[in-house]
């Protein structure tokens, strides 16, 4: 029976590798120092395999599970999305300006 159980467990792990990556506990408070060092974040929904709504903060290979309703966390997520969006549009603008200047020089 134990061999059968072990085989089924290994099969489950192979088919659902993220099944045990869920946050099971969340922190309501998070220090500003940690929020400043966040490299990326994920949003964990309270559906499917994970039964808890959370934000997973990634900092140098470590994961922190925090309350998705925390105001500081929401503000940090908004800033990170804004930075990513702004930097992409800024690069496009620079490239267009450079191409326009090159065209003007040729004429």
């Amino acid at each position: 029976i134990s061999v059968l159980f072990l085989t089924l467990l290994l099969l489950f792990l192979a088919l659902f590798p993220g099944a045990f990556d869920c946050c099971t506990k969340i922190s309501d408070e998070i220090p500003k120092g940690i929020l400043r060092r966040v490299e990326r974040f994920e949003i964990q929904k309270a559906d499917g395999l994970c039964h808890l709504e959370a934000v997973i903060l990634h900092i140098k290979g470590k994961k922190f599970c925090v309350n998705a309703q925390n105001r500081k966390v929401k503000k940090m997520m908004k800033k990170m999305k804004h930075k990513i969006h702004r930097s992409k549009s800024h690069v496009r603008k620079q490239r267009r300006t450079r191409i326009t200047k090159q065209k003007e020089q040729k004429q």
Side-chain angles (χ1 to χ4, degrees):
I1 294 175
S2 62
V3 174
L4 178 63
F5 176 74
L6 184 61
T7 305
L8 289 174
L9 179 63
L10 291 174
L11 180 64
F12 179 78
L13 288 173
L15 293 175
F16 302 104
F20 297 107
D21 284 346
C22 296
C23 292
T24 56
K25 294 180 182 177
I26 58 172
S27 175
D28 287 321
E29 288 297 318
I30 184 116
K32 286 183 182 180
I34 290 178
L35 286 176
R36 287 187 197 118
R37 296 181 310 169
V38 172
E39 296 166 353
R40 65 185 181 90
F41 65 89
E42 297 175 56
I43 298 172
Q44 174 180 297
K45 302 279 185 185
D47 58 359
L49 297 171
C50 303
H51 301 288
L52 185 64
E53 185 176 329
V55 176
I56 305 169
L57 306 177
H58 294 267
I59 304 169
K60 294 190 178 184
K62 294 181 182 178
K63 293 195 278 187
F64 295 89
C65 299
V66 295
N67 187 339
Q69 302 305 316
N70 183 303
R71 287 186 312 154
K72 291 179 192 175
V73 173
K74 284 183 176 182
K75 189 175 179 180
M76 179 273 312
M77 290 178 359
K78 192 173 184 177
K79 279 184 180 181
M80 284 188 79
K81 285 183 180 179
H82 179 69
K83 279 183 184 178
I84 292 168
H85 176 70
R86 208 172 114 204
S87 65
K88 284 183 181 177
S89 64
H90 179 69
V91 169
R92 286 187 197 138
K93 187 176 179 179
Q94 273 186 334
R95 184 166 182 250
R96 272 191 238 131
T97 305
R98 194 175 340 132
I99 292 169
T100 306
K101 284 181 181 179
Q102 288 174 351
K103 285 180 180 179
E104 287 174 0
Q105 289 174 354
K106 288 181 182 179
Q107 293 176 353

